[in-house]
Amino acid sequence: MPASLRIGPYTVIALADGAGPFFSPRSEAFPGATAEQWAAADRLDPGALDAGGGWWLQFRAFAIRGDRGVTVVDAGIGPADGPAASWAPVPGELPASLAAAGIAPSEVDTVVLTHLHTDHVGWAVVGGERARPFFPRAGYLLQRAELDAIEEINPQLRSSVIDPLRKAGQLRLLDGDTPLRGGERVVATPGHTPGHQSVLVASGRDLVAVTGDLLVHAIQLLHPHLAYAHETDPEQARVSRERVLHSPAAGAFHLATPHLTEPFVPRPRS
């Protein structure tokens, strides 16, 4: 059974899709990081450091099961011929992870795509020339600002992901923060990409933030101001990151992250 976290009427479920090395040295990914900061990050997340001193990252999506349906956040690295095949450890394991969680693709009513990087949309559309949404009954939610920037992010995703979703009538564009039918809330967190978004799950005093790539390594959890080389707008990304990390929560506050070793990590004490 996949790792999960219970918050009020919701169960947030981590859906593993793969694990593998980053495609460049981590010092290039975070050029402003100091040796002291790396040492602290490695103590917090030792699994992100491989035997050769490189960055070993997880690839995962999340499901949120509530009283009013099932939401999936992101769509992983995808099958062997998916858009992330040039660098990610495809084929991914998301279908098996969904099955282990007792979730059929047809049961999912909402898919939130945090952004249009290839390791987050891999299972959104499958079938090659006979392209079809992997989640046949779900509305796929994407920020309009992200679609507007698709030529900058990855123009090939227009034909492989966006057009099939539109043809199926399953693409829904959002403009900023938006409540979901299940009670969760999409929040715009631009910076990593122009239309990056995250999902907040709140119940009483407790909060879970499904981050997408708001932060990609534990070093940004400890030092939110650190820029990641693959952010479109590092300053805007910093503002978004700090806004979510400083979200008010009197009770437990966990981050559900795609790339850290552990899927659920508590917000660090300030």
Side-chain angles (χ1 to χ4, degrees), residues 8-249:
Y10 304 101
T11 302
V12 184
I13 305 165
L15 302 170
D17 200 34
F22 194 63
F23 54 77
S24 68
R26 65 183 195 169
S27 59
E28 294 179 3
F30 298 95
T34 66
E36 196 172 52
Q37 290 169 336
W38 280 121
D42 292 341
R43 288 192 296 271
L44 180 62
D45 187 7
L49 185 65
D50 68 19
W55 178 10
W56 186 265
L57 67 165
Q58 305 297 313
F59 298 87
R60 64 172 69 91
F62 289 88
I64 305 166
R65 185 189 288 278
D67 296 337
R68 289 177 279 180
V70 177
T71 296
V72 165
V73 183
D74 281 331
I77 55 177
D81 61 350
S86 64
W87 70 278
V90 297
E93 304 162 4
L94 184 62
S97 293
L98 283 164
I103 299 172
S106 59
E107 186 183 357
V108 176
D109 52 65
T110 302
V111 176
V112 178
L113 298 177
T114 61
H115 63 298
L116 289 176
H117 282 166
T118 55
D119 56 317
H120 291 258
V121 300
W123 293 100
V125 172
V126 296
E129 293 182 359
R130 298 184 178 182
R132 57 178 175 80
F134 181 73
F135 300 97
R137 299 181 180 176
Y140 284 70
L141 277 52
L142 184 71
Q143 289 287 327
R144 191 181 308 275
E146 189 75 355
L147 182 57
D148 288 346
I150 194 170
E151 297 300 322
E152 171 189 357
I153 299 167
N154 190 333
Q156 294 180 346
L157 292 181
R158 186 181 296 279
S159 60
S160 63
V161 175
I162 298 301
D163 289 348
L165 291 178
R166 276 186 158 153
K167 183 177 180 180
Q170 291 178 234
L171 181 66
R172 177 185 171 196
L173 298 180
L174 306 182
D175 294 298
D177 297 1
T178 306
L180 301 183
R181 183 174 59 184
E184 315 94 320
R185 185 171 183 81
V186 168
V187 291
T189 49
H192 181 72
T193 59
H196 189 280
Q197 58 187 352
S198 305
V199 177
L200 300 183
V201 186
S203 180
R205 295 159 51 91
D206 299 336
L207 181 67
V208 175
V210 187
T211 62
D213 279 358
L214 183 73
L215 58 94
V216 297
H217 191 282
I219 201 165
Q220 289 181 296
L221 190 58
L222 295 174
H223 305 285
H225 65 280
L226 278 177
Y228 172 50
H230 301 284
E231 291 167 338
T232 300
D233 186 331
E235 176 60 19
Q236 192 177 47
R238 178 194 64 79
V239 170
S240 292
R241 192 158 45 248
E242 292 181 346
R243 179 165 66 93
V244 170
L245 289 175
H246 297 157
S247 296

